[in-house]
């Protein structure tokens, strides 16, 4: 898919959120020029588990060109400005205010390139009392209230992936697409601000509304659900666990008759409605647990599925690797090909994902300088 072919993106980026947004643009066919510090995006060093490469970096940087710039140097800043003068989108996730101090704020760049879409990604936004506070993913999980609803009754638990960074990156991607569409009518760019905090605060709207208007503060319940029962993980005879969710009273009756073999429970007023079951969650789970504990997981899956009960497996990462529903893509990296999970979006009838490569640091520096900054411009910048 090359829907964004002809769109040039220059991204002064590091870590996860901004690289994730621009990786989505590269997936859609945009040309993405990744500007790194001379020492490289520090995400290159998060780990070395993908035959020497960082898993984070491989995932969020396929399909990009890399140039290493020290923007304190006139030659490097001249190249940066030259690229931005011809860019459609500029993405940056420096500290708030840092891009403007470099002369790379929206007002300064928009004067030279009015069609430029200028995207700033930060922890808390470009203003407000927390503007300058460092904002790593776990900190935003805490500040946004996410950790208040995630975990077990014994304590909070960090969501095991960089959910705030990823969500902010997806927000930036959708905002850029919206701005590109608007530019078709107005021929003008715009300034876009995306923050990790506001992204997660938006995602927290259901528990926020329940607490703000209903006075109901949701407890941390692990794999249970505060509003649905039975819902969660149950042990099977082979040492695995099966996940199930009973969404309505009709399904509860089916569970009682076809899985628990207790049809008498179906219309018992103490358990017949979801509200009643939530109020007696431990009792309900005590009915379900022994019915599944005596059979292997696959037998439990078959029995639940036959009864029309939503169910699944508590998969390991090894299970995911071999999951029959999984789709994979292969991308090149400086140390060899990498197979990873495919996008969650498929454009039907449009072929598979583009064959994209992960760049080495400054891999495209020389070619970009030759393209955007002819020798006479370099000499002028040095004067």
């Amino acid at each position: 898919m090359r829907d964004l072919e002809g769109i040039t993106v220059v991204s002064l980026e590091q870590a996860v959120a901004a690289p994730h947004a621009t990786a989505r643009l590269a997936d859609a066919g945009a040309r993405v020029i990744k500007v790194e510090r001379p020492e490289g995006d520090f995400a290159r060093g998060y780990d070395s588990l993908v035959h020497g490469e960082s898993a984070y970096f491989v995932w969020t940087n396929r399909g990009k060109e890399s140039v290493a710039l020290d923007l304190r140097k006139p030659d490097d800043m001249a190249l940066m400005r030259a690229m931005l003068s011809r860019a459609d989108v500029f993405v940056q996730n420096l500290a708030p205010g840092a891009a403007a101090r470099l002369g790379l704020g929206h007002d300064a760049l928009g004067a030279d390139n009015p069609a430029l879409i200028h995207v700033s990604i930060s922890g808390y936004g470009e203003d407000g009392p927390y503007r300058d506070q460092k904002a790593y993913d776990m900190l935003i999980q805490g500040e946004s209230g996410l950790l208040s609803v995630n975990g077990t009754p014994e304590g909070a638990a960090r969501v095991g992936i960089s959910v705030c960074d990823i969500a902010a990156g997806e927000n930036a991607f959708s905002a850029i697409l919206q701005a590109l569409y608007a530019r078709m009518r107005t021929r003008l760019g715009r300034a876009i601000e995306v923050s990790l905090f506001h992204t997660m605060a938006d995602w927290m709207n259901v528990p926020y509304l329940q607490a703000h208007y209903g006075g109901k503060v949701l407890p941390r319940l692990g794999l249970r659900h505060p509003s649905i029962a039975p819902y969660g993980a149950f042990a099977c005879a082979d040492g695995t666990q099966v996940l199930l969710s009973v969404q309505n009273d009709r399904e509860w009756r089916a569970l009682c008759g076809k899985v628990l073999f207790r049809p008498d429970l179906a219309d018992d007023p103490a358990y017949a409605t979801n509200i009643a079951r939530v109020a007696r969650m431990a009792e309900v789970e005590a009915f379900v647990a022994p019915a599944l504990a005596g059979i292997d997981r696959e037998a439990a899956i078959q029995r639940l599925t036959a009864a029309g009960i939503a169910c699944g497996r508590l998969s390991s990462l090894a299970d995911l690797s071999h999951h029959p529903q999984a789709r994979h893509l292969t991308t090149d990296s400086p140390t060899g090909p990498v197979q990873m999970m495919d996008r969650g979006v498929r454009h039907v009838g449009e072929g598979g994902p583009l064959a994209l490569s992960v760049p080495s640091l400054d891999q495209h520096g020389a070619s970009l300088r030759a393209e955007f900054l002819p020798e006479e411009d370099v000499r002028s910048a040095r004067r």
Side-chain angles (χ1 to χ4, degrees):
M1 292 291 293
R2 295 191 174 274
D3 293 324
L4 296 185
E5 189 170 17
I7 297 296
T8 297
V9 180
V10 176
S11 190
L12 182 56
E13 61 181 30
Q14 58 193 350
V16 179
H20 183 72
T22 56
R24 293 296 190 232
L25 296 168
D27 283 344
R31 180 188 189 185
V32 177
I33 301 171
K34 179 183 181 73
V35 178
E36 304 187 58
R37 293 183 172 99
E39 64 272 22
D41 180 346
F42 55 75
R44 288 182 180 273
Y46 278 169
D47 62 62
S48 58
L49 298 175
V50 186
H51 48 62
E53 305 292 334
S54 160
Y56 276 98
F57 193 85
V58 167
W59 180 46
T60 60
N61 288 284
R62 62 180 183 265
K64 302 179 185 180
E65 301 171 54
S66 170
V67 56
L69 299 180
D70 182 346
L71 296 180
R72 296 168 298 181
K73 296 181 177 179
D75 288 4
D76 285 1
M77 178 57 82
L79 175 58
M80 184 72 175
R81 294 301 295 258
M83 293 190 298
L84 288 170
S85 70
R86 290 156 57 181
D88 298 282
V89 181
F90 175 48
V91 179
Q92 63 88 17
N93 66 339
L94 303 180
R101 289 192 294 273
L102 288 168
L104 301 177
H106 173 257
D107 292 341
L109 296 179
D112 294 332
N113 184 357
L116 182 68
I117 296 165
H118 189 289
V119 184
S120 299
I121 302 176
S122 64
Y124 291 95
E126 297 296 311
D127 52 27
Y130 281 32
R131 186 188 93 140
D132 297 320
Q133 191 159 305
K134 288 188 176 181
Y136 301 126
D137 195 272
M138 182 189 68
L139 307 180
I140 297 298
Q141 289 189 34
E143 292 281 357
S144 66
L146 176 59
L147 294 184
S148 75
V149 299
N150 192 70
T152 67
E154 290 72 37
R158 171 187 169 271
V159 176
I161 59 173
S162 298
V163 63
C164 304
D165 286 306
I166 296 166
E170 293 285 350
N171 258 5
F173 174 54
S174 64
I176 291 166
L177 296 182
Q178 181 178 337
L180 286 169
Y181 183 80
R183 196 182 66 172
M184 293 169 60
R185 293 181 287 106
T186 67
R187 298 187 180 182
L188 294 174
R190 63 176 55 165
I192 297 170
E193 295 179 9
V194 177
S195 86
L196 277 66
F197 175 80
H198 294 100
T199 292
M200 293 315 298
D202 177 25
W203 280 27
M204 288 294 294
N205 257 313
V206 167
Y208 164 78
L209 291 169
Q210 290 172 330
H212 188 72
Y213 289 98
K216 182 178 181 180
V217 178
L218 301 181
R220 289 188 294 265
L221 294 174
L223 293 176
R224 296 180 177 90
H225 196 289
S227 305
I228 303 172
Y231 186 111
F234 294 87
C236 297
D238 56 0
T240 62
Q241 291 180 295
V242 64
L243 303 168
L244 68 84
S245 170
V246 171
Q247 291 285 312
N248 53 55
D249 300 336
R250 174 182 53 78
E251 291 182 2
W252 168 248
R253 287 191 291 274
L255 182 75
C256 291
K258 299 178 181 179
V259 179
L260 307 185
F261 305 114
R262 289 286 307 274
D264 57 298
L265 294 175
D267 296 314
D268 186 325
Y271 312 110
T273 68
N274 182 64
I275 292 174
R277 291 192 295 276
V278 170
R280 296 172 176 82
M281 191 176 292
E283 296 175 31
V284 170
E285 291 176 351
F287 294 134
V288 177
L292 300 175
I295 56 178
D296 289 349
R297 183 174 67 179
E298 293 310 308
I301 291 285
Q302 291 176 11
R303 187 176 296 179
L304 290 163
T305 300
I309 305 300
C311 58
R313 300 160 183 84
L314 192 59
S315 295
S316 67
L317 291 175
D319 293 331
L320 174 61
S321 178
H322 302 289
H323 200 289
Q325 201 65 30
R327 297 195 303 261
H328 299 88
L329 61 83
T330 300
T331 187
D332 286 331
S333 81
T335 53
V338 179
Q339 184 187 77
M340 66 180 76
M341 292 294 159
D342 198 358
R343 290 278 309 278
V345 174
R346 174 187 282 178
H347 296 269
V348 179
E350 297 294 334
L354 298 176
L356 303 176
S357 299
V358 178
S360 58
L361 177 60
D362 202 38
Q363 179 179 337
H364 305 89
S367 60
L368 288 168
R369 286 176 169 83
E371 176 184 355
F372 286 96
L373 202 60
E375 184 59 31
E376 57 269 21
D377 292 340
V378 173
R379 287 195 296 269
S380 176
R382 288 171 178 164
R383 294 190 192 108

